[in-house]
Amino acid sequence: MPAPHLTLPSTDRVRSPLTGWTRAHWEALADRQLAALVPYATPGLAQYRLPGRGSWSGVVSDGLEGYARSFLLASFRIAGAGGEVDPRLLERYARGLTTGTDRSSGEAWPELTDCSQQMVEAASIAIGLHETRPWLWDMLDARVQERVVDWFSGFVGGRTWDNNWRLFQVVSEQFLASVGAPYRRADIDGGLDRIEDWYRGEGWYSDGDGRNFDYYVGWALHLYPLLWARMAGPGGDGGRAKVYRERLREFLTTYPHFFGADGAPVHQGRSLTYRFAATAPVWMGALADCTPLVPGLTRRLASGTARHFVERGVPDERGLLPLGWYGTFLPATQAYSGPASPYWASKAFLGLLLPADHPVWTERELPLPVEEADQYTALPAPGWLLHGTRHDGIVRLVNHGSDHNPLEGPAQDDPHYAKFGYSTATAPETAPRAWERAVDNHLALLAPDGTPSRRLRVHPLGCAGRIAASRHDARLPGRDDAVPVETTSALHGPWEIRAHRLRAPHGTVLREGGHAVADETRPHAERGAGWALTRTAAGLTSAVVALHGWGEEADVAREVDANAFGPHSATPFLTSTAAADGDGVHVTLVALARDAVHPRALRESVTCAVDADGTVRVRFPDGTELLL
């Protein structure tokens, strides 16, 4: 359905029976966002200073961000229409280039210095200028072109952060090369060579050294190399583009498994305020002619995700993208996120570069994997299991591989990476006080004052079929020694079974939390001997059931304004005290579903035993036995 205050063409139910969306919806959504920015432009149109919390880079950088990221959206709209757009759109961005590169204008963009935020924004401008070249760059006054080149020249020989930022330098200097300006070939080759160090196989990159797996794999590390190849042109890529296409093809083979039946992507990783940018690699696969996805699935995935956010008030009543997931929610953002940061969502409009008669726009939509059958997908490179259930359309991610830490030295835990579980229907508790408690999807050793141990570096131990395992070292405040924790997750039906093996000091309190559910109203809570459950008014239920090693203590932790999905959130959890003579194994059944969950019946009917060698045997009422 269209968003409130957004007038869209009638839907095509023949071609788009699942989402109702057509290319016209995408164009209208782009136009609405671009028009909504106009009141926030500086007089010379070089910056868009949007309302909201500023970033650590300052108001001028944030204003540049507003220009650059919205220009990326404008460029896809302009190029996709062959320049047949309202001429005022071209005039706006041409004038912004003129003013932003004029150091005496009072609106000049900050110079490109090493590791500056401007490097990120320059890459969007470079891509936009390349894609709109006949209608914008070629029409600019020669003096303005010279100033633009001069500004971009700050990249030449410059230093970026050693992660996806290397690619901002690559595309920006390739733009310089494309217009005959001085550049350093070594900068381009060096950046492209560096991402080879981060390739982990199966289509997966880490975003820099370490185990940094999140949506940056798709909307940056796959995207920019192929956008660079478009700039370099046939024969100018040195054979690299073929490799990038093969890797993206492999990545996209399983990528649709990250999306729920309602179009929601799994809520994991940083920069989630970019929202539907998660669809960018899907469009890129079609644009680069390297996708394994049939055209109808490509459009269904992308349109379903865009519609998911539109139906939930994104853009908002002003037509703006606020800092958050649905509405404004700052704990889901990072300090580098300014008020225009969400406009990296512009990457979702890459599909407009495909002509209107391309099969992705004309063929009938096809269902997502989770709409066809239950899905169990092992991804050994990031150490993840994806678990989709057809009856409720939820996709869950079981994390045994990503931690967003350097390989050595000090480590931190981040709620967007450190949890055992994520999903398309829930978000981690991210407000500071909630993260201090760290209840949801976490196994904690509790200090006497209640302070929990943290899950810092995740060491993968295996990921295949429906089972994944990892190890981490749990440390209590004030203690130098660490308690090694080995965790194995196994999937059966709609449930995850977690088996934790650890030798906690006698008398230490242990706590295991399930998924946090959130809503506009206070979730319902129930508890019993060895189980706890919480349920939203819409029927989304989270439960934990003790199968082995736990006592009978269980409860529900509540938070307010701590969750991206709603102001009231709740998490079921189990607690127990480590015994001197225990086997050190704690087994929990974790449930997240939109249908009825009966934890008391599960506790009574699912049996669990631990063999002498430590093997965990879980038997279900249907006779299935899992070995963990």
Side-chain angles (χ1 to χ4, degrees), residues 22 36 39 96 99-100 140 195 246 305-306 314 335 388 403 413 475 504 542 604 607 617 622:
T22 65
T99 308
L140 290 175
I195 69 171
E246 290 171 351
T305 299
V314 182
D403 59 24
D413 56 344
R475 283 186 168 83
S542 173
E604 293 172 351
T607 62
R617 297 176 180 273
D622 64 3

Side-chain angles (χ1 to χ4, degrees), residues 221-418:
L221 290 157
H222 278 297
L223 194 70
Y224 287 103
L226 285 167
L227 290 172
W228 164 79
R230 284 171 65 84
M231 286 187 186
D237 59 68
R240 293 183 189 263
K242 180 176 183 294
V243 174
Y244 301 147
R245 290 187 179 95
E246 290 171 351
R247 290 176 180 172
L248 179 55
R249 174 181 289 276
E250 190 168 9
F251 176 76
L252 291 176
T253 300
T254 55
Y255 195 58
H257 295 255
F258 282 83
F259 295 82
D262 61 358
V266 170
H267 192 95
Q268 180 274 340
R270 66 193 175 96
S271 298
L272 290 172
T273 194
Y274 303 158
R275 300 177 175 98
F276 31 84
T279 66
V282 177
W283 288 123
M284 190 74 245
L287 191 63
D289 195 24
C290 62
T291 183
L293 311 180
V294 295
L297 178 56
T298 293
R299 189 173 81 259
R300 188 269 175 272
L301 189 160
S303 292
T305 299
R307 174 175 165 163
H308 175 85
F309 286 101
V310 166
E311 288 182 333
R312 288 157 180 81
V314 182
D316 65 15
E317 70 281 357
R318 303 165 296 178
L320 302 180
L321 302 180
L323 280 165
W325 184 243
Y326 298 133
T328 299
F329 185 71
L330 297 182
T333 66
Q334 287 70 44
Y336 57 72
S337 301
S341 181
Y343 286 83
W344 246 29
S346 299
K347 296 178 179 184
F349 293 80
L350 194 68
L352 293 179
L353 294 179
L354 294 162
D357 61 356
H358 190 282
V360 298
W361 293 117
T362 61
E363 291 196 8
R364 184 180 174 87
E365 285 181 340
L366 294 177
L368 293 167
V370 74
E371 294 177 292
E372 295 193 297
D374 289 355
Q375 303 290 326
Y376 303 93
T377 308
L379 300 171
W384 288 344
L385 296 177
L386 291 175
H387 177 205
T389 41
R390 181 176 181 272
H391 70 278
D392 58 12
I394 295 174
V395 173
R396 306 154 196 83
L397 184 156
V398 180
N399 175 32
H400 287 282
S402 185
D403 59 24
H404 203 252
N405 274 310
L407 292 173
E408 297 178 353
Q412 296 180 338
D413 56 344
D414 182 316
H416 293 105
Y417 296 91

